[in-house]
């Protein structure tokens, strides 16, 4: 999954605690991919999907994450169990 650099920049501002806990840009990309994969599609416009993960809304077009913003009116929670299962499936060791 491709992720535009502008999305990483917005993630660093909107999700500062999560961003600062990362040791590399690859880890940031992993977290964004996880959000998009586990989030809920809340809007579809042609080839563009809006995927909500907690308050964050990722815009995905043709398999590329092209934008990120927050929607404080909608909250999509993802359980810790589901996030841990995703990490295991992707081979990410959670300490």
């Amino acid at each position: 999954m491709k992720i535009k650099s502008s999305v990483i920049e917005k993630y660093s501002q909107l999700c500062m605690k999560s961003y600062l806990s990362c040791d590399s840009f690859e880890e940031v990309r992993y977290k964004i991919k996880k959000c998009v994969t586990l989030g809920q599609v809340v809007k579809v416009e042609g080839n563009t999907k809006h995927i909500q993960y907690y308050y964050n809304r990722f815009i995905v077009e043709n398999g590329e994450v092209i934008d990120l913003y927050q929607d404080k009116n909608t909250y999509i929670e993802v359980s810790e169990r589901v996030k841990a299962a995703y990490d295991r499936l992707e081979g990410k060791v959670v300490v």
Side-chain angles (χ1 to χ4, degrees), residues 17-71:
K17 185 177 177 182
S18 176
Y19 180 82
L20 292 174
S21 72
C22 296
D23 294 328
S24 67
F25 281 116
E26 201 54 45
E27 195 171 341
V28 175
R29 290 180 193 283
Y30 175 81
K31 285 187 176 189
I32 292 171
K33 180 183 172 199
K34 182 176 172 178
C35 294
V36 170
T37 302
L38 299 180
Q40 180 178 334
V41 176
V42 293
K43 186 177 181 182
V44 177
E45 298 172 321
N47 292 333
T48 304
K49 295 178 189 173
H50 292 240
I51 300 173
Q52 185 97 17
Y53 183 87
Y54 291 87
Y55 288 117
N56 298 319
R57 192 169 284 191
F58 296 86
I59 301 176
V60 179
E61 184 175 72
N62 298 322
E64 181 178 14
V65 184
I66 61 169
D67 202 1
L68 164 64
Y69 65 96
Q70 287 190 333
D71 180 354

Side-chain angles (χ1 to χ4, degrees), residues 30 34 38 53-54 77-89 94:
Y30 175 81
K34 182 176 172 178
L38 299 180
Y53 183 87
Y54 291 87
E77 187 171 356
V78 179
S79 74
E80 291 299 320
R81 182 182 55 80
V82 170
K83 291 189 277 187
Y86 178 82
D87 288 336
R88 283 192 303 274
L89 185 67
V94 180

